[in-house]
Amino acid sequence: MCGIIGILGHGPVAEQLVDSLKRLEYRGYDSAGVATLEGGRLVRRRAEGKLKNLETRLQREPLKGHSGIGHTRWATHGKPTEHNAHPHATERVAVVHNGIIENFRELREELEKAGAKFVTETDTETVLQLVDSYLAKGLTPVDAVKAALPKLRGAFALGFMFAGEDNLIIGARKGPPLAIGYGDKEMYLGSDAIALSPFTDRVSYLEDGDWVVMSREGATIRDEHGTVVQRPIIKSAASSFLIDKANYRHFMAKEIHEQPEVVGHTLARYFDMATEKVALPERLPFDFAKLDRISISACGTACIAGQIAKYWFERLARLPVDVDIASEFRYREAPLRKQDLAIFISQSGETADTLAALRYAKEQGQYVLSIVNVPSSTIARESDVVMPTLAGPEVGVASTKAFTCQLTVLAALAIAAGRARGVLSEADETALAHALVEVPRLMVATLALEAQIEHLARDISKRSDVLYLGRGTSYPLAMEGALKLKEISYIHAEGYAAGELKHGPIALIDEKMPVVVIAPFDRIFEKTVSNMQEVAARGGRIILITDPKGAAHATVDSLETIILPEMPATVTPLVYALPVQLLAYHTAVIMGTDVDQPRNLAKSVTVE
């Protein structure tokens, strides 16, 4: 969600702060600000909206301080106005905050009774006023933060600066990630390594409950008990990535087109291309043959990847799978058998609900396997086994390449489980692996259909409702298509199992309703066609995504038929994901929405 950056530098840092915040734009935000020390005084510049507004203000009112903190805010408490933008500050202290302070009301009432004057609507100002109250009593900045942190409930990452303290930044983490960057007599604090990559590739991550006192000479980290601890300094790969749009109009377009490459990289990690066998890089601490059940938990698009994997594990390995939305699973108190497997999927590896579900599974004695795009993330660090997706940085808020890379890893696991449980023969494994190795080529062929999909999007952009239908693994993909359209075009859309059409959704069908049907020619194709006929009989506008055989056997007229290459049924979710992504993307572009940073959404959801 929100982005945090702090710099203890040798020269003016305001421009560096803004440049780092640009690298955090993918998280989503609605206001931004920076604060520096000018002659020992805390001075702020803030602006509503995009960072260009903050840059314009800094051009008019420059800051020259060599120490500073910056922030991009995604509103939780209080409207997204300059008035509520971070950094928040008094004459003594400034703070930036990512997360939610759950007990802010009671703290605010306590502070107001003591004479504090609140000027914003935010929960963050409670932290500010609490620390300021300790400073007013004569505590040092370090002791003031030390006294304040135990009183805060919720999930938060915090960065503090203090008047008259040009060589001090304090950070704290409980939930959302926070990283320390080590430079040459310079130090940095950031929400992730991407924000720090212009300055250093030497990074350490605070663990949950840690807080850090930083000077230009280094950092002292304490755990939640106040004990000085060491966190490993690792060499971050973030600086090796070019975070730009290349020749594409939006990051989302670039990331859609990167899928043949990144899925290829992920396949190379988990398959031996020469022998066409699964080659998991980890020595697994569990035996698939001894598992009774797998639990998969995730949020959003990652959860849909898990729902597709359920079909694979149950069909290829005869292994029962439960899939849960993490925000429900964490409170459901599900009974879990010790030494079964729990899989957690997250692009960022920091998703708060998924992390809470992971910790619950560990408490129940489950083996924990995570599929993440950030191997240094909290979810990865707390897992027994980590399966990186190798998608590279995904900047667009709506997940595209991370989704197909997640599916690639899950397919490898399902095949490995099938072999271990004796359901798949060696020949079966080879055939399935060969089909997956062909996916990048099939994706390239599918991307060649973009002009047709863009033309079709012009009709979709005129509609207020869209229905997506599918059966088998195409059912979760229908939900993913609807989710993508909702996320970036703001058109209402729903994904349904095609067999459920007559149990309610058919009431919505009229001559204005586009119905996107995802139907490769497989063993249940004829069943899907019968549902298409029900739509056609009521005047619905059908958009069929299929293959040559499906197009030849479809017995109803459609508004448009998007014909993908023929492929084995197992890999259709990976390839058919591309046309539903492109349909959503071009619809949003035509409608003029902010494709990469859609309203109200954030890339990394690190709070409930």
Side-chain angles (χ1 to χ4, degrees), residues 380-403:
R381 294 197 301 271
E382 295 194 16
S383 299
D384 300 313
V385 181
V386 183
M387 307 285 277
T389 51
L390 307 184
E394 186 179 65
V395 177
V397 167
S399 183
T400 53
K401 63 178 181 174
F403 173 63

PDB file of all heavy atoms in Angstrom, residues 380-403:
ATOM      1  N   ALA A 380       7.917 -15.519   2.473  1.00  0.00           N
ATOM      2  CA  ALA A 380       8.987 -16.439   2.083  1.00  0.00           C
ATOM      3  C   ALA A 380       9.851 -16.810   3.276  1.00  0.00           C
ATOM      4  O   ALA A 380      10.189 -17.982   3.482  1.00  0.00           O
ATOM      5  CB  ALA A 380       9.838 -15.807   0.979  1.00  0.00           C
ATOM      6  N   ARG A 381      10.199 -15.825   4.072  1.00  0.00           N
ATOM      7  CA  ARG A 381      11.099 -16.075   5.202  1.00  0.00           C
ATOM      8  C   ARG A 381      10.459 -16.966   6.260  1.00  0.00           C
ATOM      9  O   ARG A 381      11.158 -17.667   6.994  1.00  0.00           O
ATOM     10  CB  ARG A 381      11.546 -14.749   5.825  1.00  0.00           C
ATOM     11  CG  ARG A 381      12.410 -13.895   4.915  1.00  0.00           C
ATOM     12  CD  ARG A 381      13.168 -12.822   5.689  1.00  0.00           C
ATOM     13  NE  ARG A 381      12.302 -11.922   6.412  1.00  0.00           N
ATOM     14  CZ  ARG A 381      11.779 -10.800   5.918  1.00  0.00           C
ATOM     15  NH1 ARG A 381      11.995 -10.474   4.651  1.00  0.00           N
ATOM     16  NH2 ARG A 381      11.019 -10.016   6.656  1.00  0.00           N
ATOM     17  N   GLU A 382       9.137 -16.961   6.343  1.00  0.00           N
ATOM     18  CA  GLU A 382       8.460 -17.752   7.377  1.00  0.00           C
ATOM     19  C   GLU A 382       7.968 -19.104   6.857  1.00  0.00           C
ATOM     20  O   GLU A 382       7.254 -19.809   7.564  1.00  0.00           O
ATOM     21  CB  GLU A 382       7.303 -16.940   7.965  1.00  0.00           C
ATOM     22  CG  GLU A 382       7.775 -15.689   8.703  1.00  0.00           C
ATOM     23  CD  GLU A 382       6.708 -15.048   9.568  1.00  0.00           C
ATOM     24  OE1 GLU A 382       5.678 -15.709   9.854  1.00  0.00           O
ATOM     25  OE2 GLU A 382       6.893 -13.884   9.968  1.00  0.00           O
ATOM     26  N   SER A 383       8.346 -19.459   5.645  1.00  0.00           N
ATOM     27  CA  SER A 383       7.888 -20.717   5.040  1.00  0.00           C
ATOM     28  C   SER A 383       8.938 -21.810   5.171  1.00  0.00           C
ATOM     29  O   SER A 383      10.135 -21.538   5.266  1.00  0.00           O
ATOM     30  CB  SER A 383       7.568 -20.494   3.552  1.00  0.00           C
ATOM     31  OG  SER A 383       6.548 -19.536   3.395  1.00  0.00           O
ATOM     32  N   ASP A 384       8.469 -23.059   5.148  1.00  0.00           N
ATOM     33  CA  ASP A 384       9.391 -24.195   5.119  1.00  0.00           C
ATOM     34  C   ASP A 384      10.025 -24.353   3.742  1.00  0.00           C
ATOM     35  O   ASP A 384      11.183 -24.752   3.622  1.00  0.00           O
ATOM     36  CB  ASP A 384       8.648 -25.486   5.492  1.00  0.00           C
ATOM     37  CG  ASP A 384       8.051 -25.428   6.883  1.00  0.00           C
ATOM     38  OD1 ASP A 384       8.766 -25.014   7.811  1.00  0.00           O
ATOM     39  OD2 ASP A 384       6.868 -25.769   7.043  1.00  0.00           O
ATOM     40  N   VAL A 385       9.237 -24.071   2.708  1.00  0.00           N
ATOM     41  CA  VAL A 385       9.704 -24.181   1.326  1.00  0.00           C
ATOM     42  C   VAL A 385       9.237 -22.937   0.581  1.00  0.00           C
ATOM     43  O   VAL A 385       8.080 -22.524   0.718  1.00  0.00           O
ATOM     44  CB  VAL A 385       9.139 -25.437   0.621  1.00  0.00           C
ATOM     45  CG1 VAL A 385       9.673 -25.532  -0.804  1.00  0.00           C
ATOM     46  CG2 VAL A 385       9.474 -26.692   1.403  1.00  0.00           C
ATOM     47  N   VAL A 386      10.128 -22.352  -0.215  1.00  0.00           N
ATOM     48  CA  VAL A 386       9.796 -21.173  -1.024  1.00  0.00           C
ATOM     49  C   VAL A 386       9.944 -21.533  -2.497  1.00  0.00           C
ATOM     50  O   VAL A 386      10.971 -22.072  -2.912  1.00  0.00           O
ATOM     51  CB  VAL A 386      10.715 -19.980  -0.696  1.00  0.00           C
ATOM     52  CG1 VAL A 386      10.297 -18.755  -1.493  1.00  0.00           C
ATOM     53  CG2 VAL A 386      10.697 -19.686   0.785  1.00  0.00           C
ATOM     54  N   MET A 387       8.908 -21.245  -3.273  1.00  0.00           N
ATOM     55  CA  MET A 387       8.933 -21.493  -4.719  1.00  0.00           C
ATOM     56  C   MET A 387       8.782 -20.146  -5.426  1.00  0.00           C
ATOM     57  O   MET A 387       7.666 -19.679  -5.655  1.00  0.00           O
ATOM     58  CB  MET A 387       7.799 -22.439  -5.113  1.00  0.00           C
ATOM     59  CG  MET A 387       7.741 -23.734  -4.323  1.00  0.00           C
ATOM     60  SD  MET A 387       9.003 -24.924  -4.793  1.00  0.00           S
ATOM     61  CE  MET A 387       8.224 -25.687  -6.202  1.00  0.00           C
ATOM     62  N   PRO A 388       9.884 -19.471  -5.768  1.00  0.00           N
ATOM     63  CA  PRO A 388       9.784 -18.162  -6.428  1.00  0.00           C
ATOM     64  C   PRO A 388       9.172 -18.277  -7.821  1.00  0.00           C
ATOM     65  O   PRO A 388       9.346 -19.290  -8.520  1.00  0.00           O
ATOM     66  CB  PRO A 388      11.242 -17.699  -6.518  1.00  0.00           C
ATOM     67  CG  PRO A 388      11.996 -18.555  -5.546  1.00  0.00           C
ATOM     68  CD  PRO A 388      11.265 -19.863  -5.516  1.00  0.00           C
ATOM     69  N   THR A 389       8.455 -17.234  -8.218  1.00  0.00           N
ATOM     70  CA  THR A 389       7.779 -17.253  -9.516  1.00  0.00           C
ATOM     71  C   THR A 389       8.611 -16.664 -10.650  1.00  0.00           C
ATOM     72  O   THR A 389       8.261 -16.849 -11.814  1.00  0.00           O
ATOM     73  CB  THR A 389       6.446 -16.492  -9.437  1.00  0.00           C
ATOM     74  OG1 THR A 389       6.666 -15.208  -8.863  1.00  0.00           O
ATOM     75  CG2 THR A 389       5.435 -17.250  -8.608  1.00  0.00           C
ATOM     76  N   LEU A 390       9.656 -15.920 -10.350  1.00  0.00           N
ATOM     77  CA  LEU A 390      10.577 -15.394 -11.366  1.00  0.00           C
ATOM     78  C   LEU A 390       9.883 -14.497 -12.391  1.00  0.00           C
ATOM     79  O   LEU A 390      10.282 -14.431 -13.548  1.00  0.00           O
ATOM     80  CB  LEU A 390      11.308 -16.535 -12.088  1.00  0.00           C
ATOM     81  CG  LEU A 390      12.030 -17.561 -11.205  1.00  0.00           C
ATOM     82  CD1 LEU A 390      12.767 -18.561 -12.066  1.00  0.00           C
ATOM     83  CD2 LEU A 390      12.977 -16.893 -10.227  1.00  0.00           C
ATOM     84  N   ALA A 391       8.847 -13.794 -11.967  1.00  0.00           N
ATOM     85  CA  ALA A 391       8.133 -12.902 -12.889  1.00  0.00           C
ATOM     86  C   ALA A 391       8.821 -11.556 -13.030  1.00  0.00           C
ATOM     87  O   ALA A 391       8.510 -10.800 -13.949  1.00  0.00           O
ATOM     88  CB  ALA A 391       6.684 -12.691 -12.408  1.00  0.00           C
ATOM     89  N   GLY A 392       9.760 -11.235 -12.146  1.00  0.00           N
ATOM     90  CA  GLY A 392      10.344  -9.903 -12.136  1.00  0.00           C
ATOM     91  C   GLY A 392       9.357  -8.914 -11.537  1.00  0.00           C
ATOM     92  O   GLY A 392       8.209  -9.261 -11.243  1.00  0.00           O
ATOM     93  N   PRO A 393       9.782  -7.667 -11.331  1.00  0.00           N
ATOM     94  CA  PRO A 393       8.886  -6.675 -10.727  1.00  0.00           C
ATOM     95  C   PRO A 393       7.606  -6.507 -11.538  1.00  0.00           C
ATOM     96  O   PRO A 393       7.656  -6.319 -12.753  1.00  0.00           O
ATOM     97  CB  PRO A 393       9.712  -5.384 -10.741  1.00  0.00           C
ATOM     98  CG  PRO A 393      11.126  -5.846 -10.783  1.00  0.00           C
ATOM     99  CD  PRO A 393      11.123  -7.100 -11.593  1.00  0.00           C
ATOM    100  N   GLU A 394       6.485  -6.593 -10.872  1.00  0.00           N
ATOM    101  CA  GLU A 394       5.189  -6.367 -11.521  1.00  0.00           C
ATOM    102  C   GLU A 394       4.657  -5.036 -10.982  1.00  0.00           C
ATOM    103  O   GLU A 394       4.275  -4.936  -9.817  1.00  0.00           O
ATOM    104  CB  GLU A 394       4.220  -7.501 -11.217  1.00  0.00           C
ATOM    105  CG  GLU A 394       2.921  -7.381 -11.995  1.00  0.00           C
ATOM    106  CD  GLU A 394       1.966  -8.533 -11.715  1.00  0.00           C
ATOM    107  OE1 GLU A 394       1.510  -8.656 -10.569  1.00  0.00           O
ATOM    108  OE2 GLU A 394       1.699  -9.316 -12.643  1.00  0.00           O
ATOM    109  N   VAL A 395       4.649  -4.024 -11.824  1.00  0.00           N
ATOM    110  CA  VAL A 395       4.325  -2.668 -11.399  1.00  0.00           C
ATOM    111  C   VAL A 395       2.827  -2.400 -11.483  1.00  0.00           C
ATOM    112  O   VAL A 395       2.242  -1.767 -10.609  1.00  0.00           O
ATOM    113  CB  VAL A 395       5.110  -1.637 -12.236  1.00  0.00           C
ATOM    114  CG1 VAL A 395       4.735  -0.219 -11.848  1.00  0.00           C
ATOM    115  CG2 VAL A 395       6.616  -1.861 -12.052  1.00  0.00           C
ATOM    116  N   GLY A 396       2.175  -2.867 -12.551  1.00  0.00           N
ATOM    117  CA  GLY A 396       0.741  -2.661 -12.683  1.00  0.00           C
ATOM    118  C   GLY A 396      -0.002  -3.274 -11.507  1.00  0.00           C
ATOM    119  O   GLY A 396       0.306  -4.396 -11.087  1.00  0.00           O
ATOM    120  N   VAL A 397      -0.970  -2.549 -10.971  1.00  0.00           N
ATOM    121  CA  VAL A 397      -1.712  -3.051  -9.812  1.00  0.00           C
ATOM    122  C   VAL A 397      -2.454  -4.340 -10.155  1.00  0.00           C
ATOM    123  O   VAL A 397      -2.495  -5.270  -9.357  1.00  0.00           O
ATOM    124  CB  VAL A 397      -2.682  -1.962  -9.298  1.00  0.00           C
ATOM    125  CG1 VAL A 397      -3.683  -2.550  -8.311  1.00  0.00           C
ATOM    126  CG2 VAL A 397      -1.895  -0.839  -8.623  1.00  0.00           C
ATOM    127  N   ALA A 398      -3.058  -4.404 -11.336  1.00  0.00           N
ATOM    128  CA  ALA A 398      -3.777  -5.613 -11.749  1.00  0.00           C
ATOM    129  C   ALA A 398      -2.767  -6.686 -12.160  1.00  0.00           C
ATOM    130  O   ALA A 398      -1.999  -6.504 -13.095  1.00  0.00           O
ATOM    131  CB  ALA A 398      -4.716  -5.292 -12.911  1.00  0.00           C
ATOM    132  N   SER A 399      -2.755  -7.794 -11.455  1.00  0.00           N
ATOM    133  CA  SER A 399      -1.751  -8.827 -11.684  1.00  0.00           C
ATOM    134  C   SER A 399      -1.955  -9.523 -13.020  1.00  0.00           C
ATOM    135  O   SER A 399      -3.068  -9.907 -13.370  1.00  0.00           O
ATOM    136  CB  SER A 399      -1.789  -9.859 -10.553  1.00  0.00           C
ATOM    137  OG  SER A 399      -0.775 -10.823 -10.729  1.00  0.00           O
ATOM    138  N   THR A 400      -0.870  -9.699 -13.746  1.00  0.00           N
ATOM    139  CA  THR A 400      -0.909 -10.390 -15.040  1.00  0.00           C
ATOM    140  C   THR A 400       0.178 -11.465 -15.087  1.00  0.00           C
ATOM    141  O   THR A 400      -0.097 -12.648 -14.930  1.00  0.00           O
ATOM    142  CB  THR A 400      -0.719  -9.382 -16.195  1.00  0.00           C
ATOM    143  OG1 THR A 400       0.470  -8.591 -15.970  1.00  0.00           O
ATOM    144  CG2 THR A 400      -1.918  -8.467 -16.320  1.00  0.00           C
ATOM    145  N   LYS A 401       1.425 -11.038 -15.231  1.00  0.00           N
ATOM    146  CA  LYS A 401       2.500 -12.024 -15.369  1.00  0.00           C
ATOM    147  C   LYS A 401       2.741 -12.795 -14.072  1.00  0.00           C
ATOM    148  O   LYS A 401       3.147 -13.964 -14.123  1.00  0.00           O
ATOM    149  CB  LYS A 401       3.782 -11.354 -15.858  1.00  0.00           C
ATOM    150  CG  LYS A 401       4.377 -10.311 -14.922  1.00  0.00           C
ATOM    151  CD  LYS A 401       5.677  -9.761 -15.501  1.00  0.00           C
ATOM    152  CE  LYS A 401       6.308  -8.734 -14.557  1.00  0.00           C
ATOM    153  NZ  LYS A 401       7.631  -8.305 -15.035  1.00  0.00           N
ATOM    154  N   ALA A 402       2.489 -12.177 -12.928  1.00  0.00           N
ATOM    155  CA  ALA A 402       2.636 -12.929 -11.675  1.00  0.00           C
ATOM    156  C   ALA A 402       1.645 -14.087 -11.629  1.00  0.00           C
ATOM    157  O   ALA A 402       1.968 -15.177 -11.146  1.00  0.00           O
ATOM    158  CB  ALA A 402       2.444 -12.000 -10.476  1.00  0.00           C
ATOM    159  N   PHE A 403       0.428 -13.848 -12.140  1.00  0.00           N
ATOM    160  CA  PHE A 403      -0.618 -14.874 -12.148  1.00  0.00           C
ATOM    161  C   PHE A 403      -0.197 -16.088 -12.968  1.00  0.00           C
ATOM    162  O   PHE A 403      -0.286 -17.238 -12.492  1.00  0.00           O
ATOM    163  CB  PHE A 403      -1.903 -14.261 -12.698  1.00  0.00           C
ATOM    164  CG  PHE A 403      -3.032 -15.229 -12.917  1.00  0.00           C
ATOM    165  CD1 PHE A 403      -3.596 -15.919 -11.865  1.00  0.00           C
ATOM    166  CD2 PHE A 403      -3.549 -15.433 -14.193  1.00  0.00           C
ATOM    167  CE1 PHE A 403      -4.655 -16.800 -12.070  1.00  0.00           C
ATOM    168  CE2 PHE A 403      -4.595 -16.303 -14.412  1.00  0.00           C
ATOM    169  CZ  PHE A 403      -5.143 -16.999 -13.346  1.00  0.00           C
TER     170      PHE A 403
END
